[in-house]
Amino acid sequence: MHVLAFKGLHVLAFRGLHALAFRGLHALALRGLYILAFRGLHVLAFRGLHVLTFIGLHVLAFRGLHVLAFRGLHALAFRGLYVLPFRGLHVLTFRGLHVLTFRGLHILAFRGLHALVFRGLHVLAFRGLHALTFRGLYVLLFRGLHALTF
């Protein structure tokens, strides 16, 4: 066991365990586990898992998965999938697919297809074709063709 203390610096080493303390900074290393704490910042790393917390901010990363939480905001990213929910707003993106929902409004976009739904209003757009439905009213627009039914 090795111990060192000098003007506020403290270091300890014992069978693969390493600990360090200096003016509010604390660090610990043990067999692939690393922990660091400094003035409200906490970091943990262990076999591909990384965790960070700082004054209400929480971040987690593990094998391509990333999670972030901050004051009601939560974000998730995993292999091209992105999810963000925040105060009634939800956003999802995945390989060219985009979905957004907010207080009864729903929007979807995917490879030239766009759809919107809001309180009985439905709108769809795809390669020059536009369709709209609202409380029994149907409107279709396509390359100079206009159709309306009621």
Side-chain angles (χ1 to χ4, degrees):
M1 176 163 55
H2 304 279
V3 179
L4 183 148
F6 179 72
K7 291 185 180 175
L9 167 66
H10 299 77
V11 181
L12 182 147
F14 180 70
R15 293 186 184 169
L17 167 66
H18 298 77
L20 180 147
F22 181 68
R23 294 185 183 167
L25 166 66
H26 299 78
L28 185 145
L30 174 68
R31 297 180 187 160
L33 167 65
Y34 301 90
I35 300 175
L36 183 145
F38 181 67
R39 293 185 183 164
L41 167 66
H42 300 78
V43 181
L44 182 148
F46 182 68
R47 295 183 183 166
L49 168 65
H50 299 78
V51 181
L52 181 149
T53 67
F54 181 68
I55 305 173
L57 167 66
H58 305 274
V59 181
L60 183 148
F62 182 67
R63 295 183 184 166
L65 168 66
H66 298 76
V67 181
L68 181 148
F70 182 68
R71 294 184 183 166
L73 166 66
H74 300 76
L76 182 148
F78 182 67
R79 296 182 183 166
L81 167 67
Y82 301 89
V83 181
L84 185 151
F86 182 65
R87 294 184 183 166
L89 167 67
H90 297 76
V91 180
L92 182 149
T93 69
F94 183 67
R95 296 183 182 164
L97 166 66
H98 305 276
V99 180
L100 182 148
T101 67
F102 182 68
R103 295 182 182 165
L105 167 65
H106 305 275
I107 300 175
L108 182 148
F110 182 68
R111 296 184 184 164
L113 167 66
H114 298 78
L116 182 148
V117 178
F118 183 68
R119 294 183 184 165
L121 168 66
H122 300 74
V123 181
L124 186 146
F126 183 68
R127 295 185 183 165
L129 166 66
H130 298 77
L132 181 148
T133 68
F134 182 69
R135 296 182 184 165
L137 169 66
Y138 300 87
V139 180
L140 189 144
L141 310 170
F142 183 67
R143 295 185 184 165
L145 166 67
H146 299 71
L148 184 147
T149 65
F150 183 70

